[in-house]
Amino acid sequence: MSDQAIRVLDPTVANQIAAGEVVERPAAVIKELLENSLDAGATRVTVDFSRGGKALMIVEDDGKGMAPDEALLSLERHATSKIRLAADLDRIATFGFRGEALPSIASVARFTLQTRPAAAANGVEILVNGGKVIHRRDHGMAPGTRIEVANLFHPVPARLKFLKSDETEAAHIVRLVRLYAVAHPGVGFLLREDGRELFRSPGKAPLLERVREIWGKQVAAELTLMPAFERPGMKVSGLLGHPGVSRATRQDLVTVVNGRPVDSRTMAFALTESYHTLIPKGRYPLAFIFLELDPAWVDVNVHPAKREVRFRDEARVRGFLIESVLAVLRSQLAADPERTPLAMPSFAPAFVPPVPAPGESSAPTVPGSPAPSSPETPASASPEAPAPLRLGWRLLARLREERAVFETPTGVAILDLGAAHQRVLYEAILARFTEGRPVSQPLLVPLTLELEPLPAAVLKERHSLLTAAGFEFEEYGRNFWRIAALPVWLDPADALVFLRDLLTEMARREGDFGRPALAYDALAKLAVARARRKGDALADGELLALAEALFRTAQPATCPKGRRTFVEWSDADLGRRFG
Ligand code: ADP
Ligand code: MG
């Protein structure tokens, strides 16, 4: 017991523990280094990395640099030049202030700091490996700072296991650097992977041009300039997506507060609210929003690895944003009445007749059917002409469009058209996946898809899965893909939006898509949720066929999300009710 006495942690161990919070992945290291460069007043920043940052990351700036003794001190825990007193915490204008990043990073990698203030004749180089200073010597260089981080997490191998593939880690780095570059239009950025230039943006261009340099042509073409709007203590400007342009996630809803790329529920909500009638429900607009306000009105003293920001007066910020964005959207719509908002994106073509699973043994029990005693199995039927299943139902009426009332041989049933249609569609799509039948339709004119790095990495990682599902594609330039074939159930007109959504969904739920069964299930659910034809768009003449198709599925009682597809009363039930 006596060897369990309380002791102060060895500084290296303390730093490695802090590193667990500050740097969870390579992109987090780049974030800390970039923020330091921007805090140091850099006008040019170059970021290099290789193997997703696991092997090497370098951030180089032309900022104010550090004198040799400052450089050594910067590697001490809680050494910062940015705040002195607790009271300063209320008006932080810089990114850093904890003085934790450099010592943390240096404790879990091979870390080389080279730095020189403009006033000094020479620079200094300090090499630290796993928290131990290896050498410190003079170093000839231009004014500024260059930090090299090699072999991240080698001193703490347990952490290595948590890193994702090189491609996924690289995608996080690219996304991060893009965010910071767009948030600092005045600073020149260069990003390279293995010496290959990913983007370069000199930092003098107008915002739209800047976004084109950093995010690509396709995104830039969907944006309009938002002029500055002001209120006492607040100012907003940026770029707004055209009405009708939408995304499945908040990925392309970029929000910058006082030069800091942030996540803000309030801002995302305000934007989504403003576009509310212009984009489909559940989707997000595309926008780059720059909000400036008194630092005292923003709370940044949150978790170091998180980007979530809070405002002292959320309602005021929200109101201001909604008003400003609506003003732009209104004038856009007024100027271009032709631009009608797009309807709900829609995916699967009409109603696909389901295929009975081969060798299906237990025929689903059909409510109100005259007892399943005659096993004429429909298993030999071809998919084009499913064997008629004699349900013996008769359509009586349609209830408020979305339901239908049937007389059954033994009572009355009410079918929920949406839920039933989704079940039928879902199993039809799933059957195509699992049976491995030819599922592709070649495209006469291949489609071109430009992807964000993260979805692009997913596309590569899940190549075989998507091929098995009927997609055929090849990369022809970084993040550019040519799509030559689609699954038969996917309408080519909807393919790009569907793929974008699918890939962002896959990136969000990395684990689920590792196993084909789960992946197919998720794919089918997504396809069904976005189906072009909703159940309630079926004509009366199609309703009986829908009911029959429903009872050929494996689980006729519920839709893929678990909602009931029908309710039923037997004649006996009804008799009792009439007493
Ligand atoms: P923080 O940013 O919270 O102050 P860091 O550990 O990130 O803590 O950095 C420690 C100190 O090192 C900073 O306060 C700053 O004085 C100095 N520093 C770090 N990076 C640079 C840089 N690129 N240029 C100039 N000074 C830097
Ligand atoms: Mg810092």
Side-chain angles (χ1 to χ4, degrees):
M1 290 267 189
S2 58
D3 53 325
Q4 295 292 326
I6 297 179
R7 263 180 280 135
V8 172
L9 285 175
D10 167 77
T12 301
V13 176
N15 286 329
Q16 288 176 343
I17 292 171
E21 292 233 314
V22 181
V23 291
E24 87 250 82
R25 65 184 343 156
V29 172
I30 304 259
K31 169 177 179 282
E32 294 295 335
L33 299 182
L34 265 184
E35 291 187 345
N36 282 344
S37 295
L38 294 166
D39 282 346
T43 66
R44 257 185 311 108
V45 185
T46 303
V47 178
D48 279 278
F49 68 93
S50 61
R51 292 211 36 228
K54 296 173 194 170
L56 185 69
M57 294 175 274
I58 304 172
V59 174
E60 191 172 359
D61 67 54
D62 64 349
K64 69 177 191 231
M66 288 175 268
D69 51 332
E70 291 176 315
L72 262 186
L73 196 59
S74 74
L75 300 174
E76 299 282 335
R77 197 152 152 71
H78 300 309
T80 177
S81 57
K82 299 169 195 172
I83 56 167
R84 297 267 175 265
L85 303 168
D88 291 346
L89 277 170
D90 283 345
R91 38 191 158 79
I92 294 162
T94 54
F95 285 111
F97 56 84
R98 290 185 176 82
E100 275 185 335
L102 293 191
S104 300
I105 297 164
S107 73
V108 294
R110 186 187 147 92
F111 178 97
T112 316
L113 164 65
Q114 299 168 337
T115 186
R116 177 193 151 192
N122 221 341
V124 67
E125 174 182 283
I126 301 174
L127 170 63
V128 183
N129 199 1
K132 306 270 182 289
V133 178
I134 307 292
H135 73 232
R136 179 203 154 171
R137 60 188 175 215
D138 285 354
H139 178 72
M141 62 183 290
T145 301
R146 178 182 188 275
I147 292 180
E148 184 179 310
V149 178
N151 304 336
L152 182 69
F153 296 149
H154 277 219
V156 279
R159 299 281 311 278
L160 273 174
K161 287 202 288 284
F162 292 100
L163 296 181
K164 295 284 184 332
S165 70
D166 290 2
E167 262 158 3
T168 299
E169 296 300 343
H172 283 284
I173 292 176
V174 176
R175 166 138 185 103
L176 178 104
V177 180
R178 281 178 156 181
L179 281 174
Y180 275 78
V182 95
H184 294 268
V187 178
F189 270 79
L190 170 58
L191 176 63
R192 287 184 299 216
E193 178 179 17
D194 295 321
R196 203 158 45 97
E197 183 175 312
L198 298 188
F199 76 80
R200 176 195 292 270
S201 184
K204 292 188 193 76
L207 188 60
L208 187 57
E209 184 56 33
R210 178 86 166 166
V211 167
R212 183 174 304 134
E213 287 164 358
I214 299 170
W215 292 72
K217 278 201 289 250
Q218 285 191 357
V219 167
E222 295 174 316
L223 293 162
T224 321
L225 204 64
M226 174 186 191
F229 288 77
E230 284 189 64
R231 277 279 177 79
M234 293 193 290
K235 185 176 167 188
V236 69
S237 63
L239 299 167
L240 292 176
H242 297 149
V245 173
S246 70
R247 299 285 196 262
T249 67
R250 275 158 57 170
Q251 279 273 329
D252 286 341
L253 185 45
V254 174
T255 46
V256 177
V257 175
N258 292 346
R260 185 188 290 264
V262 295
D263 285 327
S264 159
R265 280 166 180 281
T266 301
M267 291 176 76
F269 176 81
L271 265 291
T272 313
E273 254 321 276
S274 310
Y275 275 83
H276 149 94
T277 57
L278 303 175
I279 56 175
K281 210 165 153 243
R283 295 178 62 87
Y284 297 89
L286 163 70
F288 292 77
I289 300 291
F290 293 73
L291 180 64
E292 276 162 53
L293 70 179
D294 185 331
W297 286 76
V298 196
D299 189 4
V300 290
N301 193 8
V302 284
H303 191 282
K306 297 258 166 69
R307 301 198 303 139
E308 184 78 32
V309 78
R310 296 213 186 79
F311 302 108
R312 294 280 147 88
D313 189 345
E314 304 273 348
R316 187 160 174 266
V317 171
R318 183 169 59 232
F320 173 51
L321 284 179
I322 292 180
E323 229 172 83
S324 313
V325 173
L326 278 182
V328 178
L329 291 177
R330 260 188 235 114
S331 67
Q332 248 190 303
L333 287 172
D336 186 3
E338 289 291 274
R339 176 173 275 146
T340 39
L342 295 181
M344 178 67 192
S346 40
F347 299 105
F351 147 57
V352 185
V355 186
E360 186 181 32
S361 51
S362 61
T365 51
V366 172
S369 65
S373 55
S374 54
E376 317 142 83
T377 149
S380 59
S382 82
E384 285 71 31
L389 176 140
R390 283 164 300 139
L391 200 52
W393 285 18
R394 188 165 67 85
L395 178 66
L396 294 180
R398 208 168 166 128
L399 263 187
R400 287 184 244 298
E401 292 306 309
E402 74 265 26
R403 308 237 156 86
V405 188
F406 290 91
E407 182 190 56
T408 75
T410 58
V412 171
I414 301 181
L415 191 66
D416 184 289
L417 302 180
H421 183 247
Q422 294 214 340
R423 163 59 63 188
V424 169
L425 208 56
Y426 166 79
E427 291 202 11
I429 293 172
L430 211 55
R432 288 183 188 273
F433 290 149
T434 50
E435 286 162 23
R437 285 191 284 120
V439 289
S440 257
Q441 46 173 337
L443 295 171
L444 285 178
V445 184
L447 295 166
T448 298
L449 179 67
E450 183 186 9
L451 287 175
E452 286 299 289
L454 200 52
V458 172
L459 189 64
K460 274 193 193 168
E461 276 171 28
R462 301 282 181 240
H463 192 281
S464 57
L465 173 81
L466 292 166
T467 310
F471 291 98
E472 222 173 83
F473 51 85
E474 54 169 346
E475 189 176 17
Y476 73 101
R478 196 178 170 88
N479 299 342
F480 273 96
W481 302 80
R482 188 179 291 122
I483 301 163
L486 296 175
V488 283
W489 45 264
L490 184 57
D491 186 330
D494 303 323
L496 292 184
V497 188
F498 179 84
L499 264 171
R500 262 183 224 285
D501 285 5
L502 175 67
L503 294 167
T504 17
E505 180 78 6
M506 285 169 110
R508 202 165 59 79
R509 303 169 29 191
E510 265 168 289
D512 287 4
F513 286 89
R515 285 188 287 154
L518 283 180
Y520 289 149
D521 183 71
L523 238 130
K525 279 191 180 136
L526 193 60
V528 167
R530 304 282 156 72
R532 167 186 296 281
R533 257 183 100 186
K534 301 292 166 199
D536 55 20
L538 295 174
D540 285 1
E542 296 171 293
L543 297 184
L544 185 59
L546 174 64
E548 292 180 342
L550 175 67
F551 287 102
R552 278 192 299 263
T553 66
Q555 290 178 48
T558 55
C559 82
K561 285 209 196 97
R563 274 192 307 129
R564 297 189 69 153
T565 51
F566 68 90
V567 291
E568 181 199 24
W569 292 268
S570 68
D571 289 331
D573 287 339
L574 293 172
R576 269 193 297 280
R577 301 216 63 166
F578 285 104

